[in-house]
Amino acid sequence: MKKVVLLLALVALSLGSCGTKKKIAELESKNKECQDLLNSTTVKLNMCLSEKDILNNQIADLKKTNSDLISNVGNMTMLSTKGAENLEKSLESLKEKDLKISRLQDALTKKDSVTLALVTSLKSSVGINDPDIEINVEKGVVMISIADKMLFKSGSYEVSDRAKEVLGKVAKVVNDKPTFECMVESHTDNVPYRNGVLLDNWDLSVKRATSVVRVLTNDHKVSPKQLIAAGRGEFIPLVANDSTQNRSANRRTRIIVMPKIDEFYDMIEKEMKNQSGK
């Protein structure tokens, strides 16, 4: 009977891990789509800026031509009708290009502005000058990296009281952003681990991620719909696992706060349609 129970527990853990990996894969795929779209938008923006420079040069030439005509004829009324029409068309074209560029820039900078504001809010809220906590922006999302020595005791997945205080301040900011998602991503070193039903470092990292998620939901009322628990095991180290110090650096938990990818993708797509309609 005990063997059957243990087998069922292992199957449940395996299914849960598969679900988490599938969710991570979907998010990574969506993130890649968003990044590809951002790259494409940046290329188009640069092309628009180049066309704007060309138009500026054309306008300068037309203005010089008109000036020469005025000087030669000596009377403003002698301005070439064709030259005036060309100038008007160039000015209108430049106005349209400026509008397109403005829309693209708005779409690209809106997310960056929100992200930077969120970083400022987090740093102000957490208010802890501690080398075990880092808050910065990487690849357009906010990363809160917390060393595992602050979060957990060695080999444990029980969140420490000190870490709960920090998580409470993070939760306050997350609760103010109900349209954002928050991924808790746990990493380990490569020292083999096995304890009870936990088979390896991957199991341990998943368990640590879910422990942080439970603190955020149970203790600080963060909506479960905003949270994702992800275990990355030993497979994405910051540095080589060749010393005690390096292994300590690799044992970390990152809380990634980001706008929902679907919403951001829709915003970019809408701006692109506006541009193509002009």
Side-chain angles (χ1 to χ4, degrees), residues 51-65 86-87 90 93:
E51 291 178 9
K52 180 181 177 182
D53 291 337
I54 293 172
L55 287 171
N56 280 331
N57 292 333
Q58 291 175 348
I59 290 172
D61 291 339
L62 288 169
K63 285 182 177 179
K64 185 177 184 304
T65 299
N86 288 340
L87 180 58
S90 295
S93 178

Side-chain angles (χ1 to χ4, degrees), residues 106-259:
D106 286 346
L108 291 171
T109 59
K110 183 178 180 180
K111 175 176 172 291
D112 290 338
S113 298
V114 173
T115 298
L116 291 175
L118 184 58
V119 169
T120 301
S121 179
L122 278 167
K123 287 184 175 181
S124 174
S125 177
V126 174
I128 296 178
N129 184 18
D130 196 309
D132 293 331
I133 302 174
E134 293 182 3
I135 302 174
N136 50 43
V137 177
E138 294 180 20
K139 298 180 180 180
V141 297
V142 179
M143 301 279 192
I144 309 165
S145 185
I146 307 175
D148 269 12
K149 63 182 178 181
M150 170 183 282
L151 283 170
F152 311 104
K153 295 180 180 179
S154 178
S156 170
Y157 48 81
E158 182 178 350
V159 179
S160 68
D161 291 337
R162 182 186 175 203
K164 287 180 180 179
E165 178 185 350
V166 174
L167 292 176
K169 295 177 179 180
V170 172
K172 181 179 178 181
V173 176
V174 174
N175 284 333
D176 289 337
K177 301 289 182 182
T179 63
F180 278 48
E181 289 184 333
C182 185
M183 175 183 286
V184 179
E185 183 183 87
S186 180
H187 300 256
T188 69
D189 58 27
N190 67 341
V191 176
Y193 177 86
R194 184 182 180 92
N195 185 5
V197 296
L198 301 184
L199 301 179
D200 50 28
N201 282 318
W202 212 337
D203 276 357
L204 177 61
S205 66
V206 171
K207 190 64 177 175
R208 285 180 168 179
T210 55
S211 293
V212 172
V213 164
R214 288 192 179 95
V215 170
L216 292 173
T217 55
N218 296 339
D219 296 359
H220 304 295
K221 309 307 178 186
V222 175
S223 171
K225 295 180 180 179
Q226 291 180 256
L227 298 175
I228 304 164
R232 307 305 296 268
E234 64 201 64
F235 304 107
I236 309 180
L238 293 175
V239 292
N241 283 292
D242 55 7
S243 69
T244 300
Q245 183 177 0
N246 283 357
R247 284 191 292 273
S248 177
N250 288 331
R251 296 191 300 270
R252 67 203 188 278
T253 294
R254 297 197 309 178
I255 301 175
I256 306 168
V257 184
M258 54 193 173

Side-chain angles (χ1 to χ4, degrees), residues 65-79:
T65 299
N66 287 335
S67 178
D68 291 342
L69 285 171
I70 292 170
S71 298
N72 291 336
V73 177
N75 192 325
M76 189 68 175
T77 60
M78 299 297 294
L79 179 65

